[in-house]
Amino acid sequence: MKIDKFFTPKSVAVIGASREAGKIGNTILQNLISGGFAGEIYPVNPNAVEILGKKCYPNINSVAAETDLAVICVPAPVVLSAAKDVIKKKVGAVIVVSSGFKEIGNIAAEKKLAALFMKAKIPLIGPNCLGVFDAHTKVDTLFLPVARLERPNKGKISFISQSGALGSAMLDLASAAGLGFAKFVSYGNASGINENDLLEYLSKDNQTGVICFYVEGLADGKRFMKTVSKISKPIIVLKGGRSAEGKKAALSHTGSIAGESKIYSGAFKQAGAVEVDGLEEMFAAAHVFEKLSVKPRGRRVQIITNGGGHGIVSADAVAVNNLPFAVLSEKTTAVLKKELPSICSIANPLDIVGDATAERFLLSISACQSDKNVDALVVNLLPQTPTVDHEKIVQKLKQMNASKPIVLVITGGKYAVEVARKYENAGFPVFQYPEIAVKALAAYLKHNR
Amino acid sequence: MKIDKFFTPKSVAVIGASREAGKIGNTILQNLISGGFAGEIYPVNPNAVEILGKKCYPNINSVAAETDLAVICVPAPVVLSAAKDVIKKKVGAVIVVSSGFKEIGNIAAEKKLAALFMKAKIPLIGPNCLGVFDAHTKVDTLFLPVARLERPNKGKISFISQSGALGSAMLDLASAAGLGFAKFVSYGNASGINENDLLEYLSKDNQTGVICFYVEGLADGKRFMKTVSKISKPIIVLKGGRSAEGKKAALSHTGSIAGESKIYSGAFKQAGAVEVDGLEEMFAAAHVFEKLSVKPRGRRVQIITNGGGHGIVSADAVAVNNLPFAVLSEKTTAVLKKELPSICSIANPLDIVGDATAERFLLSISACQSDKNVDALVVNLLPQTPTVDHEKIVQKLKQMNASKPIVLVITGGKYAVEVARKYENAGFPVFQYPEIAVKALAAYLKHNR
């Protein structure tokens, strides 16, 4: 079933548009209007003539033009009747935001709803979901106000979440961190479109470079395995309900049978997905995939640092993540011995010590970039010392056109965050903690093996 | 040896004070003057009459008044002569910031230096260190400018770091996060005062509530064990050099024989210190100890959430950290069943669902606070929904005067950070990620067992 109308509709109807600020049907309309969606927007509400400056329609069938996407956000008891209207209208895709179905035991109504759309061959997302946010087309059916949930800029991360609240909180956090997104989908009860349909779609989506997936239970495990093993893009999975208590909670949350976490882990591994242990790890890995596109030839990591402690903590993290350590070639060692002050430690970590300058960093990075024994770099760039000219490093790094992945660690407060933003803008993923940077790099190197 | 003059001196002399902005001896003087240190400050430099508006002395012995603390930041070759001067002056304590000793193989000079101060019975911190920052007295010998390294407000965290750069980066990060500090010490080569002296001192220091410790190698393992096992305050240790490569790096960084990490881990455990795996974890744990003072009666954790996914991820984290789950009493269950909407899941996690209000949160927290089956609470408070009045929760939580530890999870961007700050200001530790919050709470519950 074609599902592109969810993401690239020319027109969106909001069935249940409301005049009252704070209501779901008002927030969705508001977000579409002010978020920059360029297509037509049709509010549908039999009791209004105009909402938020847009002409309002009593019924979707009174809209003369074709409608690509219908968002249904009326109360559960009238969803079926709204569904019949949008089927009559032959819309291209439907998102049912409304809750009050399977998740509260109302299984019959949900089955009926799904069957109607199935018969009409109209793809359905939901019910009981937030729906879609597309950072490129600005389709936005999330009923959370922008003041409380920032929308991210365009980028390569797509995120499918079985939990709407978790998904939206992470979307908000990622926006503030400056991570770029392609698509976000909260698919709720998955009565129509499920995670497999979405994964297949995203695997062919040009804007999506990495797929994050929060899942409690799979709709169809076999199909999932088949789908994921065919996808060459990185998929980062966080499985909710790995513990007995988490499993029980998943059952009452999304009605998911969470299954044995070991079986899931095995399946994720076999299918080539990267499983992570928590939310931070998921977005740290996505961060590296979002920024980097250079393909590593191996997994040997070289650490560079202007702080001994950070070098050591990075080395411990490289070991914990089972990554091999690079051993600098004789040639590189000779060059560095000649050019660097004798107090520097030319090894792995390569410690260019506390008074390191931009030149020392650039010399070291460049030497490692051209050393055939090195596959990837972790560069600890502590910004508290006044000796480093970051502007210079940023400019030269951009010109260097790195042929090997580089992740940066910049630990600190206000000034450090400003500095980090400069490197981020130049295309380098930056992390506060060495252990998180290395973990995220490990996911990148693992996928690109 | 009494070492309080490092932290509460009435006067500080800066031997090697410089007129040139950017020089170590200028930055230290500047930070003492503008940081709010209330005592006397004596710049010492034979070539200047006045520096930064302060009268300058050619030699410390030309200062007429007593001098409690001398900070020596002259180049290594003249440190010994400066040392003789301060010994003649009978200062109360000395910090030798200058590098160029043991860490570059200059062992003889360092031994001589240490012996001089030992004989004079003057306590020595350093050489090759940043020295001391005291958030209460504003003693500040860190030669890093405030524009690049923010100093934290007063609070309960003390941090001893064998690595100056790592220590200062984390101090900066913690400042930006709003964590309150008591004392920070970078003790460098530890020729005089070592980690054991500092731990003993901090264990008796009224301002210190929790001790963070970054260590690569111990000066005296037996004394460390004895010292730590006598300390009842929480000690959170990050051991650098747990891997073979990290160990090698530690040897060239601080000259530390890093030893077998398993032996260290065993010793930390036996001595009652909490060992952590990374920098983030260290400060997350410190954060909980800084905010909370209520003593838990056990370790049974109850999760509350307005987002199903966050509840599940929290539950998985509780299980991973081997914490027992609380089982709500029949009485609590009955109260919650009566008062909460039927869609809520009264279990562990207690899921008060997406449209939760302040009232629902307060009812749930209060019921768990008075349930004898609950020892601690993890409350996931996702702020993206407009239904929650945070001001109200903050006010009532303050009045509640919680008898059990509460940690909060507030995931999100700008608005979430604002909301989190309100709870922080009211005395509750807040985290972005449920897995980090639970890990930090685990350290708290483990220590207070």
Side-chain angles (χ1 to χ4, degrees), chain B residues 34-106:
Chain B
S34 57
F37 173 65
E40 293 299 322
I41 302 170
Y42 308 121
V44 176
N45 178 336
N47 306 312
V49 177
E50 192 185 280
I51 305 181
L52 297 171
K54 290 271 169 198
K55 185 190 168 188
C56 194
Y57 298 83
N59 186 294
I60 190 167
N61 288 294
S62 38
V63 175
E66 260 187 36
T67 305
D68 283 344
L69 174 63
V71 184
I72 296 179
C73 49
V74 296
V78 284
V79 165
L80 272 181
S81 121
K84 285 172 189 161
D85 286 345
V86 303
I87 288 170
K88 191 172 162 205
K89 176 69 184 169
K90 295 184 180 158
V91 300
V94 173
I95 297 173
V96 177
V97 168
S98 320
S99 58
F101 293 87
K102 190 177 79 179
E103 80 284 2
I104 59 157
N106 203 351

Side-chain angles (χ1 to χ4, degrees), chain A residues 144 147-148 172-173 216 241-243 245 250 253 278-280 308-309 312 316 319 325 383-385 412-413 415 433 435-436, chain B residues 144 147-148 172-173 216 241-243 245 250 253 278-280 308-309 312 316 319 325 383-385 412-413 415 432-433 435:
Chain A
L144 299 160
R148 293 206 167 193
D172 185 28
L173 177 59
E216 291 169 10
R242 290 172 294 163
S243 61
E245 292 77 8
H253 178 222
L279 290 169
E280 180 176 32
I312 291 164
D316 287 346
F325 285 79
Q384 282 76 28
T385 56
Y415 176 73
Y433 303 101
E435 67 268 21
I436 307 293
Chain B
L144 299 159
R148 293 205 167 194
D172 185 27
L173 177 59
E216 290 168 12
R242 289 173 295 161
S243 61
E245 292 77 8
H253 179 221
L279 291 169
E280 181 176 32
I312 292 164
D316 287 346
F325 284 80
Q384 283 75 28
T385 57
Y415 177 74
Q432 280 279 7
Y433 303 101
E435 68 268 21

